[in-house]
Amino acid sequence: MSESQVFEKFLCAPGMRLQAHEKISEIHHENLLSRLQRIERMMERLEKRLWFTVYGVVAVILAQAVQSFLVVAP
């Protein structure tokens, strides 16, 4: 037998478990990133709604102030 024999690769249980764990971790990471992106989009929409609400309340208060000045001034 010569020392330059080529050994066949074989699958072993610990190697297969590690490979499966890496694949599952990759899938979990991708799912986590997609969930974070969805949450970020939802937060942006919520922030827009919040600012519209704030501007609406300010507009109503200013409109009432202007209306009260118009009632007082003839």
Side-chain angles (χ1 to χ4, degrees):
M1 298 220 167
S2 67
E3 290 186 33
S4 63
Q5 288 180 346
V6 177
F7 294 103
E8 291 183 28
K9 292 185 178 182
F10 64 95
L11 299 175
C12 61
M16 291 173 65
R17 274 182 44 201
L18 181 62
Q19 186 179 14
H21 180 68
E22 289 173 351
K23 183 66 176 172
I24 289 173
S25 295
E26 181 181 332
I27 291 171
H28 282 299
H29 191 309
E30 290 173 2
N31 286 338
L32 182 64
L33 289 177
S34 68
R35 288 179 187 171
L36 285 174
Q37 289 173 351
R38 282 195 324 229
I39 290 172
E40 286 177 358
R41 286 192 305 264
M42 288 170 46
M43 285 177 59
E44 287 175 2
R45 289 195 314 252
L46 183 62
E47 185 179 11
K48 285 181 184 178
R49 290 178 185 171
L50 177 66
W51 282 113
F52 281 136
T53 303
V54 168
Y55 288 140
V57 169
V58 169
V60 167
I61 291 171
L62 289 176
Q64 286 180 349
V66 168
Q67 186 180 15
S68 69
F69 285 132
L70 291 178
V71 170
V72 173

